Amino acid sequence: MADSSVSWKDARIMAHRKVYLAVGRTNTRIYRFDPVDGDTRVVDGVPPYEPGYTAMGAQYRGEDKEPLLLAVSGNKLITIDVTAGTLRDEVIDGLPGGPWFDGDMDPDGKVLFVVSDPDAHSYAIDVATKQATARRAPGGGRWDDFSYHPKDGRLFSVEGDNGDLLLIDPGRQPMKTVLKRGVFPPAEASATAGSRKSYSATFFDQDGHFYAVDSAGNVNVLDLTTSAVPDHAQRIGRGRVPVGALEIMNGAGRITPLPVPPSYDEITVAKKFNQSWESGEPRGRVYSFELTLTAVSKDGGKAEDLRRFRISFDLPTVKGANAAASGVEVITQDGKVYLESTADQFLAAGTSRPIAVQVTVPGDPARLPREYPLDGLKATRLHSR
């Protein structure tokens, strides 16, 4: 990639609200992951790939389209279309059998750069011609994914054993250098037999915040929006990416930044549908709900005082779709709604409060459902400012 003709200063790198995780050492599945609220869902339409794959990158095809995902398994290129629900493999000319760890796409979506063992060649794969070109060796360590910084194109990774922040220079031999020591906590392994203690999925948002997910699903974020590197990354929430005992193998994509803090500390929220009616501008249907928050953790059932919160759910990605709610800030982006408390709104442990919500969905009122499903509904606890 050192001889790439792409200008990072001018490159327009697209991003979405969610990124993608390759989960499972074998029978690998694709999950969509929202790093703001921790929402994680398997892409049901894409079949599992029995041999397993890693070194994944995302090829964006437009702001309103899901990207293609490209990964490697042995000497094959795996192309995953999350919209069509297809997965195909093709032999890559000049690519050895691996194993493969790190992977990311260049900004114009033409080259997947992948890394193997410490002293083995890395490879630049032209995804159109299916040709692989050998590059320099990576160097030692347990770093299992890297990502291009959206501002300057530098490759960053994290050493799993000690949390060092790594800079990967494809023109250097070996490519790895330690930029700063002990920035992340040491990585944890999943419950899968043979799981590596590695940071196996990394990605940036467009502003330069660097996310790193270890094999067990712990998520950390580091502010790399300026040249100054903080001493320590921030561990997000009281929980992991919910994929059970499966191992997170790799990640791909780029995040659209939001002016809200990430949190995965999920609390109880209940939905009551009130009514719906036809709307004229935009033409469609308006759905009325009452959402009830309870100051109790969703999984453990622990009651704790609540001061700030966020509610999120899916919204159709059609022009004119919107949501309104009482007493909260409403943000909509890339098919999601976020309702966030604007200030401390104290709720004593174990008690509840209702929030009135309206969702407007454009379309033919006769063809729209009488009740909007409010898929993806969840609520998380936020730290007080």
Side-chain angles (χ1 to χ4, degrees):
M1 318 294 272
D3 58 354
S4 172
S5 60
V6 174
S7 169
W8 281 90
K9 183 178 180 181
D10 299 325
R12 295 183 178 182
I13 304 173
M14 294 180 182
H16 284 174
R17 178 66 261 129
K18 296 174 281 291
V19 291
Y20 300 87
L21 302 175
V23 178
R25 186 173 286 258
T26 59
N27 293 302
T28 304
R29 300 296 304 270
I30 292 293
Y31 286 68
R32 286 189 182 93
F33 172 58
D34 183 341
V36 166
D37 63 6
D39 183 22
T40 309
R41 304 181 214 177
V42 66
V43 182
D44 287 321
V46 176
Y49 188 72
E50 194 279 331
Y53 52 80
T54 54
M56 188 167 66
Q59 183 188 64
Y60 285 95
R61 301 179 286 179
E63 290 290 354
D64 58 345
K65 296 180 180 179
E66 297 271 12
L68 281 179
L69 304 177
L70 298 115
V72 289
S73 179
N75 67 339
K76 294 180 179 179
L77 179 70
I78 315 300
T79 303
I80 306 116
D81 189 326
V82 295
T83 301
T86 59
L87 184 153
R88 71 176 189 271
D89 57 13
E90 301 166 276
V91 173
I92 305 167
D93 186 21
L95 188 71
W100 304 106
F101 303 105
D102 311 66
D104 203 9
M105 295 291 297
D106 66 357
D108 60 2
K110 294 181 179 180
V111 175
L112 176 66
F113 186 41
V114 300
V115 162
S116 183
D117 285 329
D119 298 322
H121 286 297
S122 59
Y123 284 84
I125 301 168
D126 186 315
V127 299
T129 65
K130 311 300 184 297
Q131 296 280 334
T133 303
R135 296 291 173 86
R136 299 183 186 276
R142 201 189 305 266
W143 41 288
D144 282 9
D145 198 20
F146 51 39
S147 291
Y148 288 107
H149 195 293
K151 303 298 184 183
D152 58 21
R154 291 188 297 168
L155 272 172
F156 287 88
S157 190
V158 183
E159 168 60 59
D161 289 339
N162 51 32
D164 291 349
L165 180 65
L166 306 180
L167 187 63
I168 312 303
D169 182 354
R172 187 179 179 276
Q173 180 72 30
M175 296 190 297
K176 180 195 83 170
T177 57
V178 176
L179 189 62
K180 199 165 192 176
R181 297 192 180 278
V183 177
F184 291 79
E188 299 177 29
S190 75
T192 300
S195 176
R196 288 166 62 87
K197 294 181 178 180
S198 67
Y199 280 97
S200 52
T202 63
F203 39 88
F204 276 93
D205 73 14
Q206 285 178 311
D207 289 343
H209 295 96
F210 181 53
Y211 291 80
V213 186
D214 69 14
S215 302
N218 298 299
V219 185
N220 303 268
V221 61
L222 182 69
D223 186 347
L224 293 179
T225 58
T226 67
S227 59
V229 177
D231 290 333
H232 298 289
Q234 174 192 352
R235 174 66 60 86
I236 299 174
R238 299 180 183 179
R240 297 172 172 176
V241 176
V243 294
L246 295 173
E247 183 175 1
I248 295 175
M249 302 300 296
N250 219 243
R254 196 171 304 281
I255 311 290
T256 308
L258 274 178
V260 295
S263 175
Y264 308 158
D265 187 5
E266 200 167 348
I267 57 175
T268 301
V269 60
K271 173 187 73 172
K272 176 187 175 184
F273 174 67
N274 290 328
Q275 60 179 322
S276 66
W277 59 89
E278 294 185 13
S279 64
E281 188 58 44
R283 183 170 182 261
R285 188 171 286 277
V286 179
Y287 301 91
S288 172
F289 298 89
E290 182 178 275
L291 303 181
T292 300
L293 282 174
T294 303
V296 172
S297 297
K298 180 182 176 182
D299 294 330
K302 182 179 180 182
E304 293 184 69
D305 291 348
L306 178 69
R307 288 179 169 79
R308 295 186 62 244
F309 60 85
R310 177 192 301 120
I311 300 171
S312 57
F313 54 85
D314 294 353
L315 184 72
T317 54
V318 295
K319 185 177 181 180
N322 64 74
S326 58
V328 295
E329 181 182 5
V330 181
I331 300 173
T332 61
Q333 189 181 88
D334 287 343
K336 290 288 289 283
V337 174
Y338 304 88
L339 311 177
E340 185 164 335
S341 54
T342 55
D344 282 3
Q345 299 181 15
F346 180 75
L347 188 62
T351 62
S352 302
R353 61 159 291 187
I355 298 173
V357 178
Q358 289 184 359
V359 177
T360 300
V361 179
D364 181 352
R367 294 180 177 273
L368 291 171
R370 287 291 175 180
E371 179 178 345
Y372 181 67
L374 223 60
D375 290 337
L377 176 64
K378 67 185 305 182
T380 52
R381 179 190 306 273
L382 303 179
H383 295 292
S384 296
R385 288 170 177 161

